Amino acid sequence: MADLLTPSQRLQTRLIAASLAPAISGLCRTLTWQIEGAAYYDEVLASGRQPIIAFWHARILPITWYFRHRGIVALTSANFDGQWIARVIERLGNRTVAGSSSRGGMRALLRLAREIESGHPVAFALDGPRGPAGVAQPGALWLAARTGHPI
């Protein structure tokens, strides 16, 4: 999917991520966090299953920071914006799979299913960048039904 970018765009995604990842780290270290429900994540991992982390698109920044360095595989868009976000996620210690509801979505969901079956938690925005905001699309439910792992 990332092959859809030109060489110049691929370079730009790396440069953007190289400058944004430290800025995000600095910003997020200044925030006061109130975490609710973290025990559910830990319980799923303790049970030997992998969580499907589902969040609203508008929460990408705090989710990316909170779940940094946990071996999570996140779904990102294959377009330019999605790919520089992917590079930031990767700089913060996780991996990515490219796809979206309009381009390669089913292929990406199948890759996420393989990642879960290989022992990796996965994450993606329920509503995506095109929205409508706050309206869940069916990907998380499909993935949970396919793998038997909880959302």
Side-chain angles (χ1 to χ4, degrees):
M1 281 293 159
D3 296 323
L4 300 173
L5 301 181
T6 66
S8 173
Q9 287 174 315
R10 284 194 296 275
L11 174 62
Q12 289 173 47
T13 64
R14 289 191 297 276
L15 293 174
I16 290 168
S19 60
L20 274 184
I24 289 169
S25 294
L27 171 68
C28 289
R29 290 178 198 280
T30 69
L31 300 176
T32 300
W33 296 88
Q34 179 179 343
I35 307 301
E36 297 176 5
Y40 297 115
Y41 177 84
D42 296 334
E43 286 174 19
V44 170
L45 291 176
S47 75
R49 296 180 299 162
Q50 297 304 320
I52 298 168
I53 302 162
F55 57 92
W56 300 122
H57 192 262
R59 304 294 187 265
I60 288 175
L61 177 64
I63 289 292
T64 299
W65 176 253
Y66 179 74
F67 286 105
R68 71 195 181 280
H69 303 293
R70 296 195 197 204
I72 294 167
V73 180
L75 177 65
T76 61
S77 175
N79 68 23
F80 178 74
D81 291 346
Q83 288 305 291
W84 66 255
I85 292 168
R87 301 297 79 78
V88 170
I89 290 168
E90 291 164 1
R91 282 181 167 270
L92 294 175
N94 291 305
R95 293 184 300 121
T96 62
V97 167
S100 65
S101 58
S102 62
R103 186 181 299 158
M106 184 51 68
R107 182 176 29 243
L109 282 174
L110 290 170
R111 283 192 59 202
L112 289 179
R114 285 193 299 275
E115 291 290 347
I116 289 171
E117 292 160 1
S118 296
H120 302 283
V122 301
F124 60 94
L126 288 170
D127 52 353
R130 291 187 184 174
V135 176
Q137 300 301 310
L141 289 176
W142 181 90
L143 192 57
R146 164 88 182 213
T147 64
H149 291 263
I151 300 171

